Amino acid sequence: MCRFPIRKDIPLLIVPKPVQHEPRPGAFVLDRETSLAADPALGQVAAWLRGELAPVTGGELLPGGSGTITLALGDLPPEAYRLTVGATVEIVAGGPAGAFYGAQTFRQLLPAAAFRKAGGGPFEVPGAYVEDAPRFGWRGALLDVARHFMVKRDVLRFIDLLALHKLNVLHLHLTDDQGWRVEIRRYPRLTEAGSWRKESQTGWDGPMDGRPHGGYYTQDDIREIVAYAAARHVTVVPEIDLPGHTQAAIAAYPELGNLDAPLEVRTTWGVGHNVVNVEDSTIKFFQDVLDEVLELFPSPYIVLGGDECRKDQWRASPAAQRRIAELGLRDEEELQSWFIRQFDAYLTARGRRLVGWDEILEGGLAPGAVVASWRGELGAVTAARKGHDVINCSNTSLYLDYRQGPGEEEPVPFGTVLALEDVYNFEPVPAELRGEPAAARVLGAQCCLWTELIDSARHADYMAFPRLSAFSETVWSPPERDLADFRRRLAAHLPRLEAIGVEYRHEEGPLPWQTRPGVPGRPEDPERWQAKLDAWTSNLRR
């Protein structure tokens, strides 16, 4: 009956690693006779699980079948769950999120074939018991859609991959010098003029490609993305970058800038000099923008950037210097702090919290603001000790646009080498804070996929995975690390990613078949392969 016979000695190869887990006697058969029963409060999770198991079960999961999956509520924290697999499957959770994560763990007990759209079956699932809950509340990933636009279907797919790894925050970087990606109906030129650039730089400092690039999400698109994510217990946190990284907005509305000459949407990378001015009208403009952003994104957190804001134009601006004098500020750093505080007060009055990169610490910071520490961990330590909540986004450990190997064979190699083990060994609580009360200020951590050099969903797959799988364990699982054990579980997880269609980077490098022995139809060493390639191209020339 079963395509995959049971092995009693199979360890539970789950990513991220649960708090407690063990094999149990017995087995569960998932087939077209399987039924599903759920507490009414878990109806949305049940509907999602029916859809995911449909290739095996036919999608019905009607009551009265030979084996039952039960979703129930219990006295547990909201994101915690207990999973018991035997002749039946029972998931007891503290709330819908916990039930969803328990269902994700159950899926990982199935063969990788069950992750395909035509999964076959039936499948026997070995008996198991799991008790699990996340270590941190903020388990995030940043996706930069401003530098290179990602179409809606690819964003939805990325959300599914976050949810598979029990990550619960998608930080969507929507605006930057190179593009404005969200429709604001009051200011239509933000997308009419600001969402397209005439060309893009190749590499970090290479020639221009001569190809227009752009796109944006309508408000209906955003509502769909937010709802899709919410059904998977992912909160979409928007970023509207201020006061720097704003050239696309200034190109659309020149009155926001500090120069008399018009600007175009930026086509090169790096930190630009163009920043918005500090006039009351500019503050009102972006408050109007945020009125619409808050309506689209129910997230309690709103990111307003505050990073890499060069002050040259403010130093040269009579209006900015008058503002400094009027307010009795010491310098342009305090001017930025004052500017950010205007939006902190705006968001606080509407029940939201401002998040900014660690530069917002310079010049003073509003009490309720959250600091996303990216320049190493100094910002995290400083902010936590000053009583601010912290998200650890350290570029030395969590920037997934950095190269994955030391050689130049990496596609568009950039940054320092950040290998899988570097991400896996990352600890969200900085060493300097451990044992201090301030350590409780660390909400969690976030990996970042910046896309200056990532121009497609395929390339995003390659840069994100499997490092994102390793990251998920740093924010979900207990703090103890066992790299060998993780690699063993990852070896079972990678076929799941392959079944889904994720084009991850193989451990051997960007051309894994050059060095992987024993693969049918492939040579076992690069020299042999090169000889065959040379002969093949020679025949083509004839």
Side-chain angles (χ1 to χ4, degrees), residues 219-267:
Q219 294 201 357
D220 286 340
D221 290 335
I222 293 294
R223 290 188 182 94
E224 182 181 351
I225 290 168
V226 168
Y228 189 90
R232 289 149 182 80
H233 300 276
V234 174
T235 298
V236 183
V237 177
E239 180 174 2
I240 305 296
D241 221 334
L242 288 171
H245 290 284
T246 47
Q247 186 166 326
I250 298 169
Y253 291 92
E255 64 270 24
L256 300 174
N258 296 278
L259 306 176
D260 293 331
L263 296 171
E264 61 180 18
V265 178
R266 192 175 179 193
T267 59

Side-chain angles (χ1 to χ4, degrees), residues 448-490:
C448 299
L449 193 63
W450 300 103
T451 62
E452 289 96 334
L453 309 182
I454 300 173
D455 62 358
S456 70
R458 294 187 69 189
H459 195 180
D461 272 7
Y462 178 88
M463 300 305 291
F465 294 97
R467 293 186 295 182
L468 187 142
S469 304
F471 168 75
S472 73
E473 198 143 306
T474 72
V475 285
W476 179 278
S477 305
E480 298 77 23
R481 300 282 189 274
D482 184 338
L483 181 60
D485 175 67
F486 172 73
R487 287 190 180 279
R488 181 172 58 87
R489 287 179 287 109
L490 181 64

Side-chain angles (χ1 to χ4, degrees), residues 201-406:
Q201 191 171 27
T202 59
W204 192 254
D205 54 4
M208 309 309 293
D209 66 5
R211 296 183 301 161
H213 178 86
Y216 69 93
Y217 307 108
T218 68
Q219 294 201 357
D220 286 340
D221 290 335
I222 293 294
R223 290 188 182 94
E224 182 181 351
I225 290 168
V226 168
Y228 189 90
R232 289 149 182 80
H233 300 276
V234 174
T235 298
V236 183
V237 177
E239 180 174 2
I240 305 296
D241 221 334
L242 288 171
H245 290 284
T246 47
Q247 186 166 326
I250 298 169
Y253 291 92
E255 64 270 24
L256 300 174
N258 296 278
L259 306 176
D260 293 331
L263 296 171
E264 61 180 18
V265 178
R266 192 175 179 193
T267 59
T268 57
W269 316 123
V271 181
H273 290 271
N274 293 298
V275 302
V276 297
N277 61 50
V278 292
E279 299 293 333
D280 290 339
S281 57
T282 295
I283 294 171
K284 178 62 166 58
F285 179 98
F286 284 102
Q287 288 177 345
D288 291 342
V289 167
L290 289 173
D291 284 343
E292 298 191 30
V293 169
L294 297 189
E295 192 274 327
L296 293 170
F297 295 92
S299 163
Y301 300 95
I302 305 294
V303 185
L304 293 187
D307 60 310
E308 298 179 325
C309 178
R310 289 185 170 173
K311 311 298 192 300
D312 304 0
Q313 292 182 353
W314 286 354
R315 293 187 185 98
S317 165
Q321 294 304 309
R322 281 196 303 273
R323 180 71 86 179
I324 290 173
E326 290 167 1
L327 296 171
L329 304 176
R330 287 183 299 182
D331 54 22
E332 290 75 20
E333 300 296 339
E334 287 197 356
L335 180 61
Q336 175 171 334
S337 177
W338 171 84
F339 185 86
I340 292 292
R341 282 172 182 264
Q342 308 313 299
F343 295 98
D344 182 82
Y346 166 91
L347 291 173
T348 300
R350 289 156 180 80
R352 310 294 184 96
R353 294 185 69 184
L354 181 146
V355 180
W357 300 102
D358 54 51
E359 287 94 332
I360 66 174
L361 286 164
E362 301 162 4
L365 184 58
V370 179
V371 174
S373 178
W374 72 278
R375 296 177 297 179
E377 295 187 329
L378 178 60
V381 173
T382 303
R385 286 176 174 167
K386 289 185 176 182
H388 295 286
D389 287 341
V390 169
I391 304 157
N392 197 335
C393 310
S394 175
N395 64 333
T396 59
S397 300
L398 299 179
Y399 270 33
L400 302 188
D401 54 318
Y402 286 5
R403 69 179 71 192
Q404 301 175 73

Side-chain angles (χ1 to χ4, degrees), residues 6-10 12 20-28 83-86 125-131:
I6 290 179
R7 286 180 48 203
K8 303 298 184 184
D9 60 337
I10 293 180
L12 302 186
Q20 295 182 22
H21 56 104
E22 61 184 39
R24 287 282 179 89
F28 178 80
L83 167 65
T84 305
V85 179
V125 183
Y129 178 74
V130 178
E131 285 189 11

Side-chain angles (χ1 to χ4, degrees), residues 36-109:
L36 174 64
D39 185 290
L42 304 178
Q44 189 176 57
V45 178
W48 170 85
L49 184 57
R50 284 190 185 93
E52 293 303 313
L53 299 180
V56 180
T57 66
E60 295 298 326
L61 292 176
L62 296 174
S66 58
T68 301
I69 301 171
T70 302
L71 307 179
L73 292 174
D75 187 16
L76 294 169
E79 291 189 302
Y81 67 91
R82 292 193 302 266
L83 167 65
T84 305
V85 179
T88 61
V89 173
E90 181 182 57
I91 298 171
V92 178
F100 180 79
Y101 299 135
Q104 289 284 22
T105 296
F106 171 70
R107 291 180 69 210
Q108 290 197 22
L109 298 178

